[in-house]
Amino acid sequence: MRVQSLILPLLSGALLLASVAAAPLRDGPDGDGVVAADPPPGDPSGAGAGEAPASSPVPIRGETLLLRAARVIVRPGREIADAEILVQNGRIVAVGAGLAAPPGARVLEGEVVCAGFLDPWSSLGIEPGSAGDLSTTPATAAVDGVDPYDPAEGRREALRGGVTCARVQAGGPAQVGGVGAVVRTAERLAATPGELVVLGDACLSATIGVTRGGRLLDVFERVGEVERLVGQIERGRAYRESWVEHRHDLEEWEKKIAEEAAKLEKDFKKAKKDREKEQKEAAEKDKEFKEKKYKEDRKPRAPKHDADAEVLARAAEGEIPLVVEVHRAEEIRALLAKTAAFDRLRLVIAGGTEAAAHAAELAKRRIPVIVWPAPGLGERPDEYDGHDLALAGELGRAGVQVLIGSGGGPHARDLRNLAALAAGHGLDPAAALAAITTNAARVFDVPDRLGSVERGKDAELLVLDGDPLDTTSRIRFVISHGEVVVE
């Protein structure tokens, strides 16, 4: 009897998973992975049980969760009323009204469910020596500086503030900070690096005119840094071009060799007869026979591999964004002017204290700006002298895509408050929420995994008892990679 009592629940669970796997998939009307629910028999209202997508053959990771809320913010500007989200194996497998909780699933309820926040400008989880390293190069990888086992209170506070992921950077104040990464905040995921790191090569970072070690730069030094950065980008483009030329030359060489080989094979019999005839004539004339040597063109030599130049090339070609912390109007003007010729470059400005003066060009070139709308900066560096809490709103009204970050420091816990502050000073509330969810994910190339509540995305979710940007509303549950990490 005891064995039966154990087996029957397992069988019922297996049958449930099989039924989930057999259910057909449908996208919502916007193609956003929202599953419309079918009404059960006798329920003409359409509020019945929803369908779930096919389950993965890999074992279920952690709990099966069903989140239920009066408002599900799929993404800013798209909501579903009275809906549920089904989470299995670390991912969202269904979103819709009327989804039933599978047996054994944990049900979490709240007023609002939205995507977990993504801090696009942080050093959260980076070992302090790496975060402030001034000797980084373009190939320096931020993931090498992540300390996954650091139980720092800052990470826990960030999670309690709803920040489930962050774009982190080693060498934050360095002229070139290397390759940034998007990582999860939850320290309990540290045991598996594949779960901790969402994207290991999210961007290349640089700074222009920032205070380093308390030393202020004069205007000539700051403009000189623009020149050096542009020179680095040009170096990357030239390096990529050298490899393109090498591949072209190699293809031509291989084609020529193949043609010569085919020709030799085709003329082999004739060449053999000619050779025998020449040998015979040489013998008759008592002369030495000299073998004709086949001279093959030298194989083109590949350019010398340069790890730094390879990263610079990726930025120059737009394969990864280039994030430049720059604040003053004159440096922003010089940066925009000197990068205009790089038509594939995906430039992102961080800080941009005086960026409002160039809002029209930033909007035209679709250059996002990561704003740090922090009040009371106290003894702030010189480059923040023009700091204005209304900057995000001014840029947003001009058509600039605004992201909101915690300023490159470890204080990601304040991200929601910063977004609310930007909204209170003129930024459209939907744009403020997008600045720490969908737009942040899009700029750093993880929109297929983060930033919205859609089927197939990583389960980075918040359950709140009020609006996400209402700082009086409480975050009741934080889910990261399908696990409840804060409750």
Side-chain angles (χ1 to χ4, degrees):
M1 293 297 293
R2 186 178 180 184
V3 173
Q4 277 186 320
S5 66
L6 291 173
I7 291 175
L8 288 174
L10 292 174
L11 286 175
S12 63
L15 289 172
L16 167 72
L17 290 177
S19 66
V20 169
L25 302 181
R26 291 182 298 159
D27 278 333
D30 298 323
D32 55 10
V34 175
V35 180
D38 285 331
D43 182 4
S45 67
E51 298 172 349
S55 61
S56 168
V58 300
I60 296 298
R61 179 192 185 285
E63 296 176 290
T64 294
L65 304 173
L66 186 78
L67 281 56
R68 182 175 290 136
R71 291 172 59 204
V72 172
I73 302 175
V74 177
R75 58 179 178 267
R78 168 89 163 101
E79 297 187 10
I80 308 175
D82 298 320
E84 292 82 26
I85 301 100
L86 180 61
V87 173
Q88 289 179 327
N89 204 27
R91 291 183 180 271
I92 299 169
V93 297
V95 182
L99 298 181
R106 183 179 179 187
V107 178
L108 306 178
E109 297 186 350
E111 182 67 23
V112 177
V113 171
C114 70
F117 303 143
L118 168 57
D119 187 345
W121 187 13
S122 176
S123 61
L124 195 67
I126 296 285
E127 188 272 325
S130 297
D133 189 359
L134 294 177
S135 63
T136 51
T137 72
T140 300
V143 290
D144 294 337
V146 174
D147 186 355
Y149 302 104
D150 176 21
E153 181 63 20
R155 295 174 74 157
R156 291 192 287 269
E157 289 180 345
L159 275 176
R160 288 195 288 267
V163 178
T164 61
C165 295
R167 193 272 299 182
V168 297
Q169 196 70 55
Q175 289 189 38
V176 178
V179 179
V182 174
V183 300
R184 290 188 173 87
T185 308
E187 59 189 276
R188 72 169 64 177
L189 301 175
T192 308
E195 296 176 355
L196 183 69
V197 178
V198 179
L199 183 63
D201 55 347
C203 66
L204 173 65
S205 77
T207 64
I208 292 173
V210 304
T211 302
R212 303 184 186 95
R215 179 178 175 272
L216 301 179
L217 305 180
D218 63 37
V219 64
F220 300 106
E221 290 176 302
R222 298 197 300 264
V223 173
E225 289 190 347
V226 177
E227 296 282 357
R228 282 192 291 276
L229 177 60
V230 173
Q232 292 271 59
I233 301 169
E234 184 57 51
R235 171 189 167 195
R237 184 162 69 176
Y239 179 76
R240 178 62 61 86
E241 288 175 353
S242 70
W243 275 99
V244 171
E245 290 174 4
H246 168 68
R247 283 192 291 270
H248 176 267
D249 293 343
L250 187 61
E251 289 173 0
E252 290 295 313
W253 177 82
E254 290 173 344
K255 180 180 177 181
K256 188 173 182 180
I257 293 300
E259 290 173 350
E260 290 293 334
K263 183 178 179 182
L264 288 173
E265 185 177 354
K266 180 179 178 182
D267 298 339
F268 175 73
K269 291 184 179 180
K270 182 177 182 300
K272 183 179 179 183
K273 288 182 179 180
D274 291 343
R275 180 175 180 275
E276 291 172 349
K277 181 180 178 182
E278 290 173 1
Q279 283 180 318
K280 183 178 179 181
E281 290 177 351
E284 289 174 352
K285 296 179 180 179
D286 197 22
K287 291 183 178 180
E288 179 185 0
F289 173 73
K290 292 184 179 181
E291 193 80 59
K292 292 181 180 178
K293 293 183 179 180
Y294 171 69
K295 186 177 181 181
E296 186 177 279
D297 289 345
R298 181 177 295 178
K299 184 178 181 179
R301 181 177 296 178
K304 185 178 179 181
H305 178 69
D306 185 330
D308 287 337
E310 178 59 37
V311 174
L312 291 165
R314 294 188 66 199
E317 293 299 313
E319 295 167 10
I320 56 175
L322 172 64
V323 181
V324 181
E325 182 183 353
V326 57
H327 294 270
R328 301 176 186 84
E330 57 265 30
E331 285 103 81
I332 296 173
R333 182 185 302 109
L335 180 65
L336 293 176
K338 293 182 181 298
T339 57
F342 297 91
D343 54 353
R344 296 183 180 180
L345 182 71
R346 293 163 56 196
L347 183 62
V348 179
I349 287 178
T353 301
E354 300 175 9
H358 304 285
E361 185 173 358
L362 292 169
K364 181 180 179 181
R365 289 175 56 178
R366 298 182 180 179
I367 298 173
V369 178
I370 310 175
V371 176
W372 180 28
L377 290 177
E379 294 183 6
R380 53 196 172 199
D382 176 71
E383 56 266 23
Y384 282 97
D385 279 353
H387 180 73
D388 186 351
L389 292 174
L391 174 62
E394 289 184 49
L395 293 174
R397 288 190 294 275
V400 178
Q401 186 178 84
V402 175
L403 306 186
I404 295 173
S406 60
H411 305 298
R413 66 183 183 184
D414 300 321
L415 189 65
R416 178 166 74 135
N417 295 337
L418 296 174
L421 196 62
H425 284 78
L427 183 62
D428 178 77
L433 183 58
I436 56 174
T437 55
T438 50
N439 287 347
R442 188 176 298 114
V443 168
F444 292 105
D445 296 334
V446 287
D448 58 328
R449 300 186 62 182
L450 305 175
S452 59
V453 183
E454 300 176 68
R455 184 182 59 184
K457 300 285 184 77
D458 292 4
E460 307 289 329
L461 301 164
L462 308 179
V463 181
L464 308 96
D465 61 12
D467 191 86
L469 296 188
D470 180 352
T471 55
T472 65
S473 65
R474 182 178 55 160
I475 299 175
R476 300 190 62 206
F477 300 98
V478 178
I479 295 94
S480 182
H481 208 31
E483 291 191 12
V484 179
V485 291
V486 174
E487 57 181 304

